[in-house]
């Protein structure tokens, strides 16, 4: 577990509020209220919470896509107010975020091209990350010719090629089938250990959270959602989901949620 | 006014200026005069570089004067009066088509149950929008002792509409002109030719109209233009076959139709008292019908100086 | 160039209407300047047009013309839609008919309605019928092609599930195909409404004594440009208002079928 | 009623063409019967029409008319599309402009091109220009509205991911918005091609000496219904062929942007 | 575990072949080749296999949606040649198979309505199954107002209301998130035990297969896909995924697959 703490990739959040109504309306309806959080540089941090609690909203604020209503949000020492090359985002829906008119290679090269990186270097970097995510040989395919898992690999390679300090991932495996999902989890974990990025990973799958995260933050259901608990996961990578301590933690978090949900859907 | 070499038709070449004057003429596809003048080089001979712009109807062509797209247009008295009532245009000649012979080309077709004018009471009569036909109906019915108010007039967009409507019995009578059409109308079962326009008091004149700007700028050019028209008309009368060929080539008008229509379609440039009377009678009608809003002095809208130069013997108005 | 970021920011009502009012003032200004440049015979100014409109309104002829044209559009368009929908459904569902009809439709839909004037006069006479038939024709293919597209876009799963629940072919048509195709039919119907206003000009070129198209053609012959403008503005307004009304009605009545209000991007 | 079950069953070529040939024979038969019933002055028969066409072909005038109309359509349509695309992009991307332009567009698009004849004659003269301008106008709003729809349909994720990879607003426009909007632009362009053939009839009503529209109007004067039919069939064929050609070209050149061959359901 | 073997719900498959090319073409490309299988009445039978191997094709043949190329396929004693009320299908994509214009209640009532069941009885039956799948209180919502899991419950209630002998389920939980998925699996298992249907359940999630199935058939990758192994799952319901025998079986099937896949995507 390499965690070279680079100061510029520390995320510091203090008293963060978010309301979509806009500050002019009378009674404010807060999605997120009073969130405090510090994510260390190089850390794999998981955000776990029920649907609609505001996980994506929080992630989008860190990404700079959505403006905060109040509070502080800094990356390194800089207050976040717009998207930046230092923070890369992997979206849940590969179909809506990849560029279908570009090949795999061209998608991966996109950021470098925008930066006007010379052609050979662009090619070299892209090749490296395409290899890293296991897509060698598929460079000239178009996204529509790929399976869901392969598309998420393209997204991963695409953001890695820009060498961001922070990876923001919003349920990146949520749309994959179970088998593909498991493979992708393994690979992401390995890539993270190789590349030493800070990762914030949003999910609502407890097993996935424990497989991947160094720390797991649990958010309460909205409105006025907050981070209620942070679990440390003191297990070595790669983790074994059948290990007793894994299962113990899984049950602990599960019961945390089941307590929160008053009465499931099926009697 | 103006120029030394005049009064000599045969010496046309001597009137030819060094620089040909540019001229845009609004025309329709069935009129032979301009096209013959152009294709036979008559315009060129008189120092006129003419461009003929084809419109669907003379009225459309006259309208293009308003938007300053042509210099010269022609049409029947009706749209011409509408034009001169509105802007700075003058009538420079009449086409000389207000003869009995050409009036006879306008035929009235009616359903077989209509045997005389008085039978038209309560019937549906076709008129073409924007033409003199409402006036013709008015005069014709008045002369036969029928009030126009006792009939129903249906405004139509073209003779083909009238043909179909008459054939289907949806209208009871319509005026028609042109050999091609008359042939078709003759073929309608259950309808017959009731009369023709020569038996009414109405003669329709045609007139050539130009912008005042152009007349002032090129008085000699206008005269030469009129000379060219006269020569073209003479050529048309003398060479009906060749005229028909030219028209077929240029506008696809069927040859036999051209030849049969020459009586009405060919011109005899001039301006007679009859031309003036026809215009003023129609003006009175248009004023009473509200088509022309403000009365105006018709004589002020005539500019016959060039015509007097070109064909002095055929201007008998005001003498 | 400041680009929008599609934020759902709150905006007060006044701020929303202000640019629209501004635009219309601008349009009026451009129009008036045009009138000064070209002279009132060619481009009648705002005041002239208003005088012309008043003239036409005083004797009630404008109201009558609008009423008559509106009636023709409404009848032609309704009849056209009523015929087109079942035909489109049949063409869509019965493949042998589709094989025969499609190439023919794709040929005939390029022939402008105006071209059928003579034929329609023969068939329907010089009365209302031929005008209504022309509008009907202008409507027919648009609604038919859209219905057809809708039928072909129907998910096979819906048909299969209905069939395995014991629905007969007729029941499938009635309870699955028609409701699923409704948004397509509606789009077609709405686009056709726009085209009907185009066609009324052609329809009223034929034997007509009233109607906005007649007003325009007749005013052209006498070069009453102010009346032409009154006619054009009437057409624009009639189109705009009925389009909005149809959109709103569709939204109210057909919302459950997935019909949404939109500004009708296609026509 | 036997309904299709959308099976991708194998069909030999002959079986595919047979119904189409049958259809055309049927159409010809109906046409001929119509001619017998109404008489050749009203509905010229197949043989009469063919004779009329031969007459027009012999002196080359049909070829000339088709060529001239085709040229006008092509120029007006290309220019219209070229103007409409950037304008549509700007309206779509810049919200203040959109707020101003949208209501105006929604008003003016109901005014038929034919209504602008006089104005265009004033502005562009009686030559080619005014005819081309009329076609251009008929094209303009369709392409513009479709481009606008495309821009508004663009997934925010694509823009966000480009932005967080460091793309400037200009780069986003060039490398994300335009390629993503291409299928919409193309649909608009293709629909507009159809509308151009409608508008050519109006355009060639104005001071024209040649062109298929002129042929139709002029033949009306001479009561040559056979030539009117030749004109109509020429228009249908021209429309059909160019529509297919444009569709095919789009498919070949723009496939990577998601443009597909279809029979162009909307027009 | 109730398994009242009803003879009419036994599925017998002998030497079944499927090729999409049609029997007329020269070289046949078989999707499925030589499948033999007997599914007992009341059994929960799972079909497991890699993507594209032909699981859906086989299921669709049993459903009667797709015709077989050769071999025998009987339900009870009847050769399957079309869909039937005895075989209900739950599709993977609820969005494409539910009727979005009907409420939850109306969707569930659909089959009964087609059968012209009296209103009160229809209502009574629907209520029962809506309660069974835990959707009481949501009767009047439209599908678009439901989450993915709730939509699958509607599908389940909809087919159960028709009281079919056989349930054919094609990856019904494939599009759900992990948490919802687990809940749905539990519920399905319980409903099956209550209602005593024969179930054929397609998945490629091994854990899901073991959680649910009495027997698990593994298909080989296509073309010429066959059923290579059938695993018995001799465990009581409800099953515990953390139980050692569960994990042993999971590992066994997993290694079966890993052996089959030559070299995964990521090195
Ligand atoms: N643009 C917006 N305007 C107004 N409300 C919004 C907007 N985006 C999200 N919301 C609301 O904010 C809340 C949180 O949404 P968010 O997408 O952050 O939840 P989430 O935790 O990511 O849920 P999920 O697990 O379903 O992705 C929801 O109630 C949602 O309706
Ligand atoms: N209508 C069709 N025509 C031709 N080939 C088809 C058709 N439907 C499916 N196929 C082919 O048959 C094969 C099996 O498809 P099928 O959908 O049955 O696989 P599957 O096992 O269900 O896969 P998945 O797990 O992805 O759903 C695939 O190669 C597919 O391309
Ligand atoms: Mg989210
Ligand atoms: Mg499948």
């Amino acid at each position: 577990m390499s965690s070279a703490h680079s100061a510029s990739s520390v995320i510091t959040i203090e008293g963060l509020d978010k309301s979509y109504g806009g500050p002019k309306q009378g009674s404010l309806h807060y999605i997120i209220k009073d969130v405090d959080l510090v994510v260390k540089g190089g850390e794999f941090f998981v955000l776990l919470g029920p649907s609609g609690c505001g996980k994506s909203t929080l992630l989008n604020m860190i990404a700079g896509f959505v403006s905060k209503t109040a509070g502080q949000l800094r990356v390194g020492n800089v207050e976040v107010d717009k998207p930046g090359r230092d923070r890369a985002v992997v979206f849940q829906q590969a179909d809506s975020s990849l560029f279908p008119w570009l090949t795999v290679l061209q998608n991966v090269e996109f950021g470098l091209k925008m930066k006007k990186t010379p052609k050979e270097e662009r090619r070299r970097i892209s090749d490296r990350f395409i290899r890293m995510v296991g897509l060698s040989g598929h460079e000239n395919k178009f996204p529509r010719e790929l399976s869901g898992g392969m598309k998420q690999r393209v997204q991963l390679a695409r953001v890695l090629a820009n060498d961001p300090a922070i990876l923001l991932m919003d349920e990146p495996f949520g749309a994959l089938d179970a088998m593909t999902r498991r493979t992708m989890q393994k690979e992401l974990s390995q890539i993270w250990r190789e590349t030493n990025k800070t990762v914030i990973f949003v999910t609502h799958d407890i097993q996935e959270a424990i497989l991947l995260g160094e720390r797991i933050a649990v958010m309460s259901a909205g409105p006025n959602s907050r981070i209620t608990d942070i679990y440390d996961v003191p297990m070595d990578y790669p983790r074994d989901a059948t290990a007793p301590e894994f299962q113990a933690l899984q049950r602990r978090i599960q019961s945390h949620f089941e307590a929160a949900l008053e009465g499931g859907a099926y009697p | 006014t103006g120029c030394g070499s005049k009064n000599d038709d045969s010496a046309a070449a001597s009137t030819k200026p060094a620089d040909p004057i540019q001229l845009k003429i609004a025309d329709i596809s069935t009129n032979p005069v301009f096209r013959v003048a152009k294709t036979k080089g008559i315009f060129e001979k008189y120092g006129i570089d003419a461009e003929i712009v084809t419109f669907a109807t003379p009225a459309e062509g006259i309208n293009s004067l308003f938007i300053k797209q042509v210099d010269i247009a022609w049409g029947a008295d009706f749209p011409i009066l509408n034009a001169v009532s509105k802007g700075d245009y003058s009538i420079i000649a009449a086409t000389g088509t207000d003869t009995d012979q050409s009036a006879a080309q306008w035929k009235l077709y009616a359903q077989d149950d209509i045997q005389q004018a008085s039978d038209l009471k309560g019937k549906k009569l076709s008129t073409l929008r924007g033409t003199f036909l409402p006036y013709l109906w008015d005069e014709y019915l008045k002369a036969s002792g029928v009030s126009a108010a006792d009939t129903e007039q249906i405004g139509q967009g073209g003779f083909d509409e009238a043909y179909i409507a008459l054939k289907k019995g949806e209208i009871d009578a319509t005026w028609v002109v042109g050999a091609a059409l008359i042939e078709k109308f003759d073929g309608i079962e259950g309808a017959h030719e009731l009369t023709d326009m020569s038996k009414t008091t109405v003669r329709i004149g045609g007139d050539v109209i130009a912008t005042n700007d152009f007349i002032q700028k090129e008085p000699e050019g206008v005269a030469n233009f009129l000379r060219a028209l006269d020569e073209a008309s003479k050529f048309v009368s003398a060479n009906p076959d060749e005229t028909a060929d030219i028209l077929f080539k240029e506008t696809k008008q069927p040859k036999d139709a051209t030849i049969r229509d020459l009586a009405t379609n060919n011109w005899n440039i001039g301006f007679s008292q009859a031309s003036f009377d026809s215009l003023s009678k129609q003006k009175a009608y248009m004023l009473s019908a509200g088509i022309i809003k403000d009365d105006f002095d018709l004589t002020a809208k005539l500019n016959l100086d060039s015509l007097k130069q070109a064909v002095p013997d055929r201007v008998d108005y005001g003498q | 160039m400041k680009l929008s970021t599609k934020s759902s920011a709150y905006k007060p009502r006044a701020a929303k209407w202000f640019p629209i009012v501004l635009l219309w003032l601008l349009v009026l200004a451009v129009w008036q300047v045009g009138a000064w440049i070209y002279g009132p015979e060619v481009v009648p100014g705002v005041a002239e047009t208003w005088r012309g409109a008043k003239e036409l309104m005083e004797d009630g002829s404008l109201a009558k013309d609008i009423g008559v044209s509106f009636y023709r559009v409404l009848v032609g368009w309704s009849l056209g839609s009523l015929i087109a929908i079942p035909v489109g459904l049949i063409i869509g569902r019965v493949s042998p008919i589709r094989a025969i009809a499609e190439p023919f439709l794709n040929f005939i839909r390029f022939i402008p309605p105006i071209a059928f004037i003579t034929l329609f006069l023969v068939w329907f006479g010089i009365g209302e019928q031929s005008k209504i038939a022309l509008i009907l024709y202008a409507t027919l293919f648009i609604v038919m092609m859209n219905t057809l597209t809708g039928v072909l876009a129907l998910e096979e799963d819906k048909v299969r599930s209905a069939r395995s629940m014991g629905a007969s072919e007729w029941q499938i048509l009635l309870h699955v195909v028609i409701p699923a195709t409704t948004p397509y039919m509606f789009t077609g119907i709405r686009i056709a409404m726009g085209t009907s206003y185009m066609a009324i000009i052609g329809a009223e070129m034929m034997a007509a004594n009233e109607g906005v198209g007649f007003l325009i053609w007749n005013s052209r012959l006498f070069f009453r440009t102010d009346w032409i403008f009154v006619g054009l503005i009437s057409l624009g307004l009639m189109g705009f208002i009925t389009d909005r009304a149809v959109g709103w009605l569709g939204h109210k009545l057909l919302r459950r079928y997935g019909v949404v209000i939109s500004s009708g991007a296609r026509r």
Side-chain angles (χ1 to χ4, degrees), chain A, chain B, chain C:
Chain A
M1 243 156 313
S2 51
S3 320
H5 294 247
S6 125
S8 69
S9 60
V10 176
I11 299 164
T12 319
I13 295 176
E14 281 166 26
L16 191 68
D17 295 347
K18 176 67 195 175
S19 154
Y20 278 108
K24 273 165 209 143
Q25 281 175 317
S27 68
L28 271 179
H29 171 89
Y30 285 103
I31 305 296
I32 281 179
K33 182 82 191 148
D34 233 347
V35 169
D36 295 312
L37 183 67
V38 176
V39 179
K40 295 180 289 247
E43 182 176 22
F44 199 116
F45 189 86
V46 175
L47 218 50
L48 193 65
S51 194
C53 72
K55 303 182 296 294
S56 297
T57 301
L58 181 54
L59 205 77
N60 283 337
M61 282 195 282
I62 303 174
F65 296 147
V66 163
S67 63
K68 64 188 180 221
T69 304
Q72 297 210 318
L73 197 171
R74 287 194 304 278
V75 170
N77 288 318
V78 187
E79 194 69 28
V80 168
D81 61 350
K82 60 170 188 289
R85 230 175 238 290
D86 55 334
R87 284 153 286 143
V89 185
V90 176
F91 296 85
Q92 175 171 11
Q93 299 296 338
D95 283 328
S96 69
S97 64
L98 287 180
F99 304 131
W101 55 88
L102 300 180
T103 61
V104 168
L105 180 64
Q106 289 166 331
N107 264 289
V108 174
E109 281 185 332
F110 187 88
L112 298 166
K113 213 174 149 191
M114 296 301 103
K115 216 166 59 179
K116 304 207 163 55
T117 310
K119 203 167 176 168
E120 306 76 49
E121 199 186 335
R122 216 157 73 197
R123 187 65 210 252
R124 201 178 40 72
I125 297 175
S126 308
D127 272 352
R128 183 177 147 223
F129 290 102
I130 288 174
R131 221 177 318 112
M132 184 180 280
V133 300
L135 283 178
S136 303
H138 300 281
E139 286 88 349
N140 295 320
K141 288 192 176 156
F142 286 93
R144 83 186 86 88
E145 300 170 291
L146 306 178
S147 72
M150 289 161 92
K151 282 187 246 184
Q152 288 301 31
R153 288 167 208 263
V154 180
Q155 268 210 77
L156 208 54
R158 182 172 74 163
V159 300
L160 289 172
N162 294 302
D163 195 26
I166 299 167
L167 276 183
L168 304 171
M169 309 182 78
D170 192 355
E171 302 185 46
F173 307 145
L176 303 181
D177 69 75
M179 263 158 119
T180 316
R181 191 168 185 156
R182 224 153 298 150
T183 326
M184 291 294 296
Q185 287 161 352
K186 268 190 227 160
E187 291 175 26
L188 173 65
S189 189
Q190 195 164 339
I191 289 171
W192 164 65
R193 279 170 283 145
E194 278 172 23
T195 57
N196 196 16
K197 309 277 179 203
T198 307
V199 177
I200 302 189
F201 188 102
V202 167
T203 183
H204 44 211
D205 183 348
I206 300 170
Q207 189 178 343
E208 183 171 74
I210 305 175
L211 266 172
L212 296 172
E214 291 183 298
R215 288 195 296 158
I216 300 171
V218 177
M219 288 181 78
S220 60
N224 298 324
S225 179
R226 297 169 44 247
I227 293 181
T228 52
D229 296 86
I230 296 191
Y231 294 88
D232 277 304
V233 189
M235 280 180 266
D236 283 349
Y237 294 95
R239 289 172 180 163
D240 176 9
T242 60
E245 52 181 323
F246 189 106
Q247 306 237 330
L249 183 57
Q250 184 169 353
R251 266 189 286 266
R252 221 177 107 206
I253 300 179
Q254 188 99 48
S255 59
H256 173 120
F257 272 111
E258 271 158 22
L261 296 166
E262 343 90 309
Y266 187 76
Chain B
T1 40
C3 191
S5 63
K6 53 184 173 187
N7 298 341
D8 188 1
D9 279 12
S10 60
S14 68
T15 65
K16 183 177 175 179
D19 261 345
I21 54 169
Q22 311 268 325
L23 197 56
K24 273 191 185 162
I25 305 165
D27 198 6
I28 63 168
S29 53
T30 51
N31 174 31
V33 181
F34 292 131
R35 285 184 209 275
V36 165
K38 176 145 171 111
T39 45
K40 296 309 289 180
I42 300 171
F43 278 143
E44 204 185 343
K45 178 172 145 200
Y46 286 94
I48 291 162
D49 179 10
E51 182 187 331
I52 296 175
V53 185
T54 312
F55 289 89
T57 62
E60 298 263 350
I62 291 165
N63 280 346
S64 66
L65 280 174
F66 288 97
I67 56 176
K68 303 182 174 54
Q69 296 298 329
V70 297
D71 307 299
I72 301 237
W74 69 277
D77 296 342
F78 206 77
I80 291 282
L81 283 166
N82 180 50
V84 294
S85 77
K86 286 210 173 77
D88 295 330
Y89 313 105
S90 294
I91 294 168
I92 55 170
T95 56
T97 44
D98 49 354
T99 59
D100 290 352
Q101 189 200 9
S102 62
Q105 298 299 312
W106 279 92
K107 316 262 191 207
L108 176 59
Y109 280 86
Q111 303 288 1
D112 283 346
D113 59 334
I114 296 165
Q115 292 300 332
Q116 59 213 33
S118 55
D119 292 343
L120 289 170
K121 209 174 278 181
K123 298 292 186 183
K124 293 195 178 110
L125 314 180
S126 164
T127 77
L128 293 191
R129 290 197 296 264
T131 67
F132 78 109
L133 284 176
Y135 169 66
L136 174 56
W137 277 122
D138 212 51
E139 293 288 311
Y140 172 68
L141 292 172
K142 208 157 49 183
S144 318
V146 178
S147 161
D150 287 342
T151 61
E152 187 188 341
Q153 300 209 354
I154 311 265
Q156 297 197 290
F159 286 120
D160 52 348
E161 274 183 36
Y163 170 79
I164 290 160
L166 188 68
K167 193 172 176 179
K168 295 189 70 190
E170 296 192 32
I171 55 168
D172 298 297
T174 182
W175 291 95
V176 189
V177 73
L181 286 168
I182 284 167
E183 193 186 326
K184 301 267 181 193
F185 275 78
D186 273 336
I188 299 179
E189 273 171 48
H192 66 290
E193 183 187 329
L194 182 61
T195 183
D196 66 55
M197 194 169 78
S198 65
K199 309 204 174 68
T200 72
T201 58
V202 178
R203 295 290 173 274
I204 51 155
D207 310 275
V208 183
I209 183 176
T211 62
N212 288 346
D213 276 355
F214 183 74
I215 297 169
Q216 269 148 35
K217 214 169 67 202
E218 302 277 3
E220 189 58 23
V222 174
N224 278 334
F225 170 74
L226 293 170
R227 284 189 191 102
L229 292 192
D230 194 42
E231 193 173 328
S233 304
K234 286 181 180 140
F235 177 91
V236 170
S237 321
N239 306 283
D241 280 330
E242 196 179 343
T243 303
D245 281 340
I246 290 170
L247 237 60
F248 181 76
K249 194 163 164 287
E250 298 252 317
T251 74
K252 290 276 170 311
Q253 165 146 270
K255 283 180 202 163
D256 50 339
T258 310
I259 291 169
R260 271 176 291 169
D261 280 343
L262 282 183
T264 32
N265 275 353
N266 198 10
W267 293 354
N268 183 23
I269 290 291
F271 199 89
S272 61
Q273 185 62 42
S275 310
F276 184 79
D277 293 345
S278 165
L279 279 168
S280 46
K281 258 161 67 188
Q282 284 194 54
K283 191 184 100 182
Y285 170 81
M286 289 169 85
L287 271 168
S288 68
I291 296 166
I292 293 176
K293 285 275 234 348
D294 306 309
D295 199 0
F296 59 95
D297 177 12
L298 184 56
T299 52
K301 296 289 183 181
L302 302 178
N303 190 330
L304 304 173
D305 295 346
S306 303
L307 186 67
K308 283 175 190 155
Q309 274 181 55
V311 284
D313 52 322
R314 269 185 260 138
V315 187
D316 61 13
Y317 161 73
Q319 285 174 356
Chain C
M1 187 166 63
K2 202 191 160 294
L3 300 179
S4 80
T5 46
K6 248 189 206 169
S7 73
S8 55
Y10 173 78
K11 247 188 192 173
R13 225 149 216 286
K16 207 184 136 207
W17 284 103
F18 181 70
I20 297 178
V21 170
L22 199 79
L23 167 82
W24 284 109
L25 289 178
L26 191 84
V27 169
L28 290 182
V30 169
W31 175 7
Q32 189 58 59
V33 168
W36 285 328
I37 294 173
Y38 292 109
E41 304 90 33
V42 170
V43 179
V46 180
E48 280 99 347
T49 307
W50 176 241
R51 263 202 305 281
K54 266 215 320 232
E55 219 176 309
L56 290 173
M57 280 190 283
E58 262 158 24
D59 64 351
S61 68
L62 184 63
K64 194 192 62 192
D65 285 340
I66 289 180
V68 166
S69 290
F70 186 70
Y71 162 80
R72 286 172 182 155
V73 164
L74 211 69
V75 174
W77 167 79
S78 315
L79 286 178
S81 303
L82 279 179
I83 296 170
I85 287 174
V87 175
L89 287 171
I90 291 171
I91 295 177
R93 288 298 291 171
V94 191
S95 355
I97 294 186
R98 187 164 69 251
I100 293 184
E102 250 196 323
F104 182 63
L105 286 179
N106 274 318
F107 169 78
I108 211 163
R109 71 196 178 89
F110 288 102
I111 302 180
I114 220 179
F116 284 90
I117 288 184
T118 312
L119 225 50
F120 282 3
L121 281 173
V122 175
W123 287 335
F124 304 110
I126 51 170
E128 286 305 290
Q129 284 173 27
S130 55
K131 294 167 196 75
I132 289 172
L134 206 74
I135 308 276
L136 188 154
Y137 176 87
T139 302
L140 200 66
F141 292 102
I142 298 174
V143 179
M144 210 185 281
M145 293 303 277
N146 272 283
T147 306
L148 176 59
T149 308
V151 174
L152 297 179
L154 172 62
E155 294 107 330
E156 191 58 16
D157 278 3
K158 286 198 176 52
V159 177
R160 285 179 167 179
S161 64
R163 198 171 276 140
S164 76
M165 286 189 284
S168 66
E169 292 303 326
W170 176 248
Q171 285 176 321
I172 288 175
L173 185 71
L174 218 63
H175 295 290
V176 181
V177 179
I178 290 178
T181 313
T182 299
Y184 289 85
M185 294 176 189
F186 185 76
T187 305
I189 287 176
R190 196 162 165 198
I191 296 169
M193 170 56 90
T195 322
S196 295
Y197 282 102
M198 313 268 152
I200 193 77
I201 293 256
E204 289 175 351
M205 240 173 103
M206 307 187 284
N209 290 320
E210 48 200 6
V212 180
F214 166 77
L215 172 67
I216 291 173
W217 286 113
N218 209 35
S219 309
R220 269 197 74 187
L221 286 175
F222 299 112
F223 221 78
R224 284 296 302 259
T225 37
D226 53 340
W227 288 354
I228 297 183
F229 267 58
V230 173
L232 293 183
I233 293 171
S234 306
L235 270 186
L237 280 177
M238 285 161 77
F240 179 74
I241 291 169
T242 43
D243 181 66
R244 287 294 150 113
V246 169
W248 182 84
L249 262 179
H251 177 70
K252 285 288 154 201
L253 303 179
L254 304 174
R255 187 155 33 167
R256 67 155 57 200
Y257 301 101
V259 169
V260 291
I261 292 191
S262 78
S263 58
R266 296 190 172 84
R267 66 166 181 181

